[in-house]
Amino acid sequence: MNNEMVFGRWEGTCLLITMIATKAVLGFPRVMMESAGVAGWILSAYISFLALIGFWIINKLYKGFPGKDILDIGESLGGKPVKIITGTVIWVYLTFMMITSLRLFGELIKSMGFPTTPPSFLMLFFFVGVFFAAYIGIESIVRFMAILVPVSVVSFLIFIFALAPLGDINNIFPLLGNGAYEIFVKGSSKVSCFSEVLFLFLIAPFMKTHENFKKSGLISIFISGVVFLSITLIFISMYPNPVAREVLLPAYQLGRTIDYGRFFKRLESILIITWSTIGFMHLSTVFFFSAHVFKKTFNLKYYRPLLFPLGVICFSISIIPERLMDVISFEAKYDRNWSWTISFGLTIILLIFANIKRKEPVKRH
């Protein structure tokens, strides 16, 4: 990254919305329904509330460290050892995110328009663009996101309004689905669906002010929460509980149900362009920060030489699973339950101890 490069509130908000809300077109509604039954929409609202609280706490703790990202805070707390541990944990998480997202988007595009094409070919096609976007740098990616997000929001609104009349409101009853315990206790771990807020802690040095940092986080979490709630509610209203659990790519299946006469059929084909672009920007950002975090963790001078070996590793691992269901199950079991420990847990712990150390009086000899 260039130290002279600065992101405003709009760019930071668009980046986070892209990173968090992208999973709405993948398996998010099904994950909510698997956890809470027909009350999945309540669970989505609940975890959005938890994410807002978590970010509010982090924002309060971050005030004493303007212009520092999470790696800088780790270094200020315990020097290079803590910085290396923090950076390694984050790099492993970002690499895992890159691997799973690359496979899921490849499978999504295959299902939507290329049913006979091998997923590995589509993933390779995708990855070539991702590689060059990451090579150019994060500034170009973020500027493009600032244009893409309004278009994506309009596309999503049309998608939701087209589906709303097709649902059956009776499908959301009984109201608490699998029970209050499944929603408010076990379901709390699903706040991991907002774990991409971690990217805000990586671009903190490039936000103009702490106020921009705060508002970008709050606005993006709120908008992403609305996206999650709306698509989950629509999904539950259209698919009975047993059937919904078998739907691997909910957004695609919802798109196939849109039918408003002879001239408005198979509208999900139009969405291929929007969703492919969203996936491209999501993957480009993850890939760039995977290289950037590795570079900064080990005090390397450049990140670009890392892109090719990291790309080979990510692509090779992503094609290992034979079935899409294996990837979905692995992501649902681990990422959707435990990634909050990195994005929220690790960040809060580092900030608490860093604040304690900062307020300690300097010892005079």
Side-chain angles (χ1 to χ4, degrees):
M1 278 194 191
N2 186 335
N3 288 332
E4 297 180 355
M5 182 174 52
V6 176
F7 297 153
R9 184 186 309 170
W10 174 250
E11 289 86 355
T13 301
C14 290
L15 183 146
L16 280 191
I17 291 174
T18 303
M19 302 311 295
I20 298 172
T22 293
K23 60 178 66 67
V25 303
L26 297 174
F28 180 84
R30 191 198 68 259
V31 171
M32 293 296 101
M33 203 163 187
E34 287 177 349
S35 301
V38 294
W41 64 279
I42 298 178
L43 177 57
S44 67
Y46 174 59
I47 62 173
S48 301
F49 177 68
L50 291 181
L52 284 170
I53 292 176
F55 180 76
W56 180 81
I57 294 171
I58 290 172
N59 175 66
K60 292 294 183 183
L61 295 170
Y62 231 112
K63 282 188 175 180
F65 303 95
K68 291 188 176 182
D69 62 19
I70 193 65
L71 300 181
D72 296 327
I73 292 170
E75 186 172 21
S76 67
L77 174 61
K80 288 186 178 180
V82 175
K83 176 186 176 182
I84 291 174
I85 293 171
T86 302
T88 302
V89 170
I90 293 174
W91 176 77
V92 170
Y93 171 64
L94 293 177
T95 303
F96 165 78
M97 186 189 300
M98 178 67 191
I99 291 167
T100 55
S101 297
L102 180 61
R103 179 61 182 268
L104 288 172
F105 275 111
E107 294 284 357
L108 175 65
I109 301 304
K110 172 183 169 67
S111 299
M112 293 180 67
F114 306 92
T116 61
T117 306
S120 56
F121 176 80
L122 294 173
M123 290 160 58
L124 181 60
F125 179 78
F126 231 77
F127 188 74
V128 170
V130 167
F131 179 89
F132 283 106
Y135 188 87
I136 292 171
I138 190 61
E139 184 174 12
S140 299
I141 296 173
V142 171
R143 303 303 179 200
F144 187 73
M145 284 181 180
I147 301 172
L148 171 68
V149 167
V151 176
S152 301
V153 169
V154 171
S155 174
F156 183 78
L157 289 174
I158 294 172
F159 181 66
I160 292 298
F161 285 129
L163 289 168
L166 306 178
D168 183 357
I169 196 65
N170 293 315
N171 286 342
I172 71 170
F173 298 101
L175 200 59
L176 290 181
N178 293 345
Y181 179 79
E182 294 291 330
I183 298 172
F184 300 110
V185 180
K186 292 181 66 175
S188 60
S189 65
K190 295 298 186 292
V191 73
S192 295
C193 293
F194 287 86
S195 60
E196 286 82 359
V197 74
L198 175 68
F199 289 95
L200 184 59
F201 312 144
L202 295 174
I203 66 169
F206 307 95
M207 305 293 286
K208 291 181 179 178
T209 64
H210 181 77
E211 188 69 13
N212 285 343
F213 174 88
K214 178 181 74 173
K215 290 188 176 180
S216 292
L218 293 175
I219 292 171
S220 58
I221 291 173
F222 177 78
I223 293 176
S224 298
V226 172
V227 170
F228 288 158
L229 174 61
S230 57
I231 196 168
T232 304
L233 189 57
I234 289 292
F235 180 66
I236 291 172
S237 70
M238 294 186 64
Y239 288 92
N241 194 356
V243 177
R245 293 173 181 270
E246 303 299 324
V247 179
L248 298 182
L249 299 170
Y252 171 65
Q253 295 301 327
L254 287 171
R256 295 188 64 183
T257 64
I258 299 176
D259 186 350
Y260 286 97
R262 180 178 299 176
F263 299 104
F264 294 95
K265 295 178 181 288
R266 299 302 305 270
L267 295 184
E268 79 280 2
S269 300
I270 300 176
L271 297 174
I272 290 179
I273 299 174
T274 302
W275 289 352
S276 298
T277 307
I278 292 172
F280 171 75
M281 300 312 297
H282 182 278
L283 289 168
S284 299
T285 305
V286 177
F287 190 48
F288 170 84
F289 276 106
S290 177
H292 170 72
V293 168
F294 192 95
K295 181 210 77 171
K296 187 166 185 176
T297 299
F298 298 102
N299 292 323
L300 303 178
K301 191 172 182 180
Y302 303 107
Y303 78 91
R304 288 190 174 101
L306 299 171
L307 292 176
F308 184 75
L310 287 178
V312 171
I313 292 171
C314 291
F315 183 81
S316 301
I317 297 176
S318 67
I319 62 176
I320 290 176
E322 294 183 4
R323 301 183 305 146
L324 171 61
M325 194 61 205
D326 295 334
V327 181
I328 291 175
S329 298
F330 185 82
E331 185 195 34
K333 184 176 180 181
Y334 296 103
D335 186 41
R336 296 292 168 253
N337 285 318
W338 297 104
S339 60
W340 68 268
T341 60
I342 298 173
S343 55
F344 291 99
L346 176 64
T347 304
I348 290 175
I349 290 171
L350 285 175
L351 285 169
I352 288 174
F353 283 104
N355 273 283
I356 292 172
K357 181 179 179 180
R358 184 174 63 89
K359 293 178 181 178
E360 287 179 351
V362 178
K363 294 181 180 180
R364 295 182 178 179
H365 298 282

